[in-house]
Amino acid sequence: MKTILLSSDDEDIKKAAQIIGNGGIVAIPTETVYGLAADALNGNAVRKIFEAKGRPMDNPLIVHISDIPQIYPLVSEFPEKAKILAEKFWPGPLTIILPKSEVIPDEVSAGLDTVAIRFPSHKTTQKLISLSSPLAAPSANLSGSPSPTTLSHVCDDMDGRIDAIIDGGDCAVGVESTVVTLAEDIPRLLRPGGITVEQLRSAIGEVEIDSAVTNPLEEGEKAASPGMKYKHYSPNADVILLDGENNAVYEYLNTLTDKNAAAICYDEDIGRISIPCISIGSENDYSEQAHLLFASLRDADKMGYKTVYARCPRKNGVGLAVYNRIIRAAGFNIIYLEGADKG
Ligand code: TXA
Ligand code: MG
């Protein structure tokens, strides 16, 4: 299939809307990561997304809207707490799970009785939705790979597999949206992202954190969010997390003899580590780390490294989102050093 490259100007957004209207699939920019979109109400079109990504059919998709009232036909309930979150954080990197209405095709909800809804803040995608329909869209990477945060990442994974790609520049946040379910009595965080659990709690009170956010699923345990059961975000290189204080990490890395190893580290570490370093920003700037994380994993592969040692992020604020992604990229492989934070 020939994949056409579209810009974010009005003419090209109209072309994208036509492709969506004809049941095609288009990669779209959002503020979090690029998505791979189809008309959310067209089950056959949605099926093509799963084929292009190689995504298991039991992993449901997020439905993207461009205005809060568009949510009403899509859900069977819109409870007060969901309304508060929508008013406060939309448009933005927050996905809310609610009981679904009968218009949601099974392909979107993967047979669950809930649907995930998000109102992204990227203007190009808002325009596209308002010209076409609510869009079902997972991240626009091949299933299992790091999510794409630049146009070139999308081209690397999707050229020849989809109808079109819209260039919307680099993604600002860099990790996927926060996912919270309000389909149960107590709101629960299923995936951390740019809107922090601290922000959610200050808006609506109690929010639990699903154990799969920081822990591997137990044998036989059912994933609240099916995406959490798959190995995820992985480059070809093996990723190993190093949890420990600075000097312990430096000592560990500086005694390695592996010529094919690199480190994903912070700006402050540069010059103190003797193996090649890919920095994801300053140690205390969690947003910058989120912004650069997926690109750093893809860069490690491009540079040919076989093993990547990554510093262990803090688990507060947006740091929890960085931790959640990198621990999956590492398949929960952590080396605990002096000063490790095992909490
Ligand atoms: O930022 C984002 O959320 C990006 C952009 C494109 O919007 N999208 C994205 O989609 O990350 P995806 O498919 O890569 O991740 C969606 C996650 C998956 O872990 C999926 O299992 C979960 O949300 N999910 C979707 N619908 C769900 C539902 N009804 N119940 C529980 N989890 C759900
Ligand atoms: Mg994804």
Side-chain angles (χ1 to χ4, degrees):
M1 171 188 293
K2 170 126 181 66
T3 301
I4 59 171
L5 183 60
L6 298 171
S7 72
S8 277
D9 68 26
D10 286 350
E11 274 312 301
D12 274 10
I13 297 175
K14 270 190 212 148
K15 280 187 201 154
Q18 256 163 15
I19 296 171
I20 298 279
N22 291 331
I25 55 175
V26 178
I28 56 166
T30 85
E31 72 280 20
T32 57
V33 302
Y34 273 82
L36 180 53
D39 176 351
L41 304 181
N42 178 343
N44 287 331
V46 169
R47 207 170 264 278
K48 294 181 192 164
I49 295 176
F50 288 87
E51 283 161 18
K53 279 181 61 95
R55 180 180 174 108
M57 290 294 297
D58 68 349
N59 193 2
L61 307 182
I62 297 171
V63 176
H64 298 69
I65 57 175
S66 60
D67 195 11
I68 293 177
Q70 286 172 13
I71 197 172
Y72 286 99
L74 306 174
V75 300
S76 62
E77 283 168 51
F78 190 22
E80 196 49 37
K81 283 182 182 170
K83 285 187 181 139
I84 295 171
L85 293 180
E87 290 292 340
K88 204 167 168 71
F89 299 114
W90 280 354
L94 177 68
T95 295
I96 303 175
I97 295 180
L98 292 169
K100 71 169 192 174
S101 78
E102 69 285 358
V103 303
I104 301 294
D106 276 345
E107 287 86 352
V108 170
S109 54
L112 300 176
D113 50 16
T114 53
V115 63
I117 311 276
R118 164 161 132 76
F119 177 177
S121 65
H122 200 292
K123 296 289 176 225
T124 302
T125 285
Q126 289 181 358
K127 275 189 204 156
L128 175 61
I129 296 167
S130 59
L131 286 179
S132 52
S133 62
L135 297 178
S139 48
N141 50 286
L142 291 172
S143 196
S145 296
S147 296
T149 56
T150 69
L151 177 68
S152 81
H153 295 163
V154 181
C155 294
D156 286 347
D157 279 19
M158 290 299 158
D159 191 24
R161 307 177 74 89
I162 64 178
D163 296 294
I165 299 173
I166 304 178
D167 181 0
D170 293 354
C171 302
V173 178
V175 291
E176 308 87 342
S177 62
T178 302
V179 179
V180 63
T181 178
L182 294 192
E184 294 161 18
D185 289 342
I186 301 174
R188 191 152 44 96
L189 178 78
L190 302 183
R191 181 175 73 182
I195 302 295
T196 64
V197 71
E198 294 87 345
Q199 287 175 290
L200 298 178
R201 285 174 179 156
S202 82
I204 56 167
E206 186 179 10
V207 177
E208 291 177 346
I209 300 180
D210 195 274
S211 76
V213 167
T214 51
N215 300 298
L217 286 175
E218 302 287 334
E219 193 70 30
E221 191 184 346
K222 192 164 170 288
S225 188
M228 287 203 251
K229 73 185 176 196
Y230 300 108
K231 186 168 157 104
H232 226 137
Y233 315 120
S234 302
N236 296 321
D238 287 330
V239 180
I240 300 168
L241 222 54
L242 294 180
D243 190 353
E245 62 193 23
N246 289 349
N247 285 330
V249 171
Y250 301 152
E251 198 180 309
Y252 184 90
L253 291 173
N254 292 340
T255 50
L256 290 173
T257 52
D258 182 353
K259 292 272 172 296
N260 292 313
I264 288 182
C265 63
Y266 305 129
D267 291 347
E268 292 82 353
D269 302 328
I270 305 277
R272 307 192 63 179
I273 297 174
S274 56
I275 64 172
C277 291
I278 304 172
S279 176
I280 54 171
S282 186
E283 180 167 5
N284 294 315
D285 189 344
Y286 304 147
S287 297
E288 192 182 14
Q289 292 164 26
H291 178 66
L292 293 175
L293 178 69
F294 288 139
S296 75
L297 294 172
R298 284 177 180 258
D299 286 347
D301 277 348
K302 286 204 179 111
M303 295 184 232
Y305 298 116
K306 299 283 176 268
T307 310
V308 177
Y309 294 89
R311 299 217 52 177
C312 187
R314 300 266 178 280
K315 293 177 209 152
N316 59 307
V318 177
L320 185 65
V322 181
Y323 179 82
N324 169 271
R325 304 309 189 277
I326 199 143
I327 200 169
R328 284 181 165 68
F332 291 89
N333 187 359
I334 309 181
I335 296 175
Y336 293 103
L337 303 169
E338 186 79 29
D341 163 26
K342 294 192 184 170

